[in-house]
């Protein structure tokens, strides 16, 4: 537990003692993850990865970050909203949350925020463009932690939801939350139209027609060791970016 870097466990008495160069904002969703992972998987993993990244940034480069509590409001596909307790947050809702966070941090003197996104359905680019107009001296960067490193180099059968990647990383951080014996196979259908299948044209996937167990990707080869190696590599890559992000003025980010 690092109370200097994680607002989930910190106090004002601790936080007020330090200067923070970058604020990390984990963002996830509230949704089923196959039959073996918690609804809050995206929040848990984005938060834990962010804390590890903050820790490595401080240890390697002497730069202090604060990790905010994770946001659990995620954007869902059709076919997911029908699932019990799956919460769909509209674009307007997510933008309002992000705007209030940026407004608060900006007022307090912070100027750099990194979103550590753990939910593939979340997209923040247009929100950030709007915020850059309203808060021209505040820089918001966005990322997806599971794309910081190529999953194919670490896993045998990576998918994209409740798969070997998410399951292994959850086993690394919270073995007690994973019930792998209860997992479905994560079999999923792909689009029938070539342009959609290849990503040249996009529509949201109808989740109830794509997956039987809500998973996409077989999680049954997951191990905590695979998760540890991947999580450490991702945190190290984040630390490199945060170092550069913290030490580069906005006007110097271009060559």
């Amino acid at each position: 537990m690092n109370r200097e870097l994680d607002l989930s466990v910190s106090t004002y008495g601790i936080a007020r003692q330090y200067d923070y160069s970058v604020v990390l904002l984990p963002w996830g969703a509230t949704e089923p993850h196959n039959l073996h992972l918690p609804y809050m998987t995206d929040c848990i993993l984005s938060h834990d990865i962010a804390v590890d990244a903050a820790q490595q940034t401080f240890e390697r480069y002497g730069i202090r970050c604060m990790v905010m509590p994770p946001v659990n409001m995620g954007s869902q596909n059709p076919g997911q909203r029908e699932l019990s307790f799956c919460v769909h947050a509209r674009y307007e809702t997510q933008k309002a949350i992000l705007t209030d966070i940026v407004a608060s941090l900006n007022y307090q003197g912070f100027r750099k925020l990194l979103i550590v996104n753990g939910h593939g359905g979340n997209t923040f680019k247009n929100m950030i463009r709007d915020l850059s107009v309203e808060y021209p001296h505040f820089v918001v960067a966005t990322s997806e932690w599971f794309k910081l490193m190529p999953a194919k180099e670490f896993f045998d059968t990576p998918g994209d939801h409740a798969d070997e990647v998410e399951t292994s990383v959850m086993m690394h951080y919270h073995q007690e939350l994973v019930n792998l014996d209860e997992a479905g196979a994560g079999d999923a259908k792909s689009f029938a139209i070539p342009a959609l299948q290849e990503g040249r044209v996009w529509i949201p996937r109808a989740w109830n027609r794509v997956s039987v167990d809500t998973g996409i990707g077989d999680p049954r080869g997951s191990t905590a060791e695979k998760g540890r190696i991947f999580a450490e590599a991702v945190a190290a890559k984040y630390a490199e970016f945060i170092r550069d992000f913290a030490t580069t003025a906005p006007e110097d980010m271009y060559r």
Side-chain angles (χ1 to χ4, degrees):
M1 180 186 299
N2 194 322
R3 299 169 69 195
E4 297 176 13
L5 304 175
D6 182 2
L7 202 64
S8 296
V9 295
S10 191
T11 66
Y12 179 58
I14 292 172
R16 68 179 179 176
Q17 298 179 41
Y18 302 102
D19 293 324
Y20 295 91
S21 300
V22 179
V23 180
L24 306 185
L25 178 61
W27 203 305
T30 303
E31 61 170 357
H33 274 72
N34 199 312
L35 310 178
H36 66 291
L37 291 177
Y39 274 74
M40 300 301 289
T41 290
D42 292 342
C43 298
I44 294 168
L45 295 184
S46 60
H47 172 263
D48 289 354
I49 288 285
V51 171
D52 276 0
Q55 183 68 45
Q56 288 204 33
T57 302
F58 181 69
E59 291 176 352
R60 295 185 179 196
Y61 310 115
I63 295 170
R64 186 173 276 108
C65 308
M66 178 60 86
V67 179
M68 302 286 285
V71 179
N72 66 350
M73 292 288 99
S75 176
Q76 305 294 347
N77 282 306
Q80 288 179 297
R81 295 180 66 185
E82 293 85 345
L83 303 172
S84 300
F85 307 112
C86 184
V87 177
H88 169 65
R90 297 171 299 154
Y91 174 87
E92 295 83 0
T93 301
Q94 290 189 311
K95 184 179 179 183
I97 292 170
L98 182 58
T99 300
D100 287 349
I101 291 172
V102 168
S104 298
L105 294 173
N106 182 74
Y107 185 79
Q108 296 154 13
F110 300 103
R111 293 294 180 266
K112 291 182 179 178
L113 175 72
L114 171 61
I115 298 172
V116 179
N117 181 34
H119 177 61
N122 293 336
T123 55
F124 301 99
K125 289 181 180 180
N126 284 350
M127 303 177 199
I128 293 170
R129 290 188 179 102
D130 288 345
L131 287 167
S132 70
V133 174
E134 189 171 356
Y135 300 95
H137 303 295
F138 195 105
V139 183
V140 183
T142 185
S143 65
E144 296 177 319
W145 69 262
F146 45 87
K147 292 183 179 179
L148 261 282
M149 297 294 290
K152 291 182 179 179
E153 295 181 7
F154 295 82
F155 300 96
D156 299 316
T157 57
D160 69 15
H161 184 69
D163 60 337
E164 185 183 2
V165 179
E166 283 192 307
T167 302
S168 293
V169 178
M170 183 66 84
M171 291 172 76
H172 162 57
Y173 285 119
H174 302 283
Q175 179 74 58
E176 74 281 1
L177 298 180
V178 181
N179 300 300
L180 198 54
D181 291 341
E182 300 175 3
D187 294 331
K189 296 180 180 179
S190 60
F191 284 114
I193 299 173
L196 294 173
Q197 188 177 55
E198 295 162 7
R200 292 182 283 114
V201 180
W202 181 88
I203 62 173
R205 290 178 288 185
W207 219 255
N208 55 328
R209 297 174 183 171
V210 170
S211 174
V212 174
D213 51 31
T214 81
I216 297 181
D218 190 348
R220 293 173 294 183
S222 304
T223 69
E225 180 64 8
K226 290 178 183 177
R228 180 190 65 79
I229 294 171
F230 187 64
E232 289 179 354
V234 168
K237 187 63 69 173
Y238 263 126
E240 292 177 5
F241 169 75
I242 295 168
R243 174 201 61 196
D244 297 338
F245 189 42
T247 58
T248 304
E251 62 271 18
D252 295 330
M253 289 187 181
Y254 310 93
R255 293 182 178 177

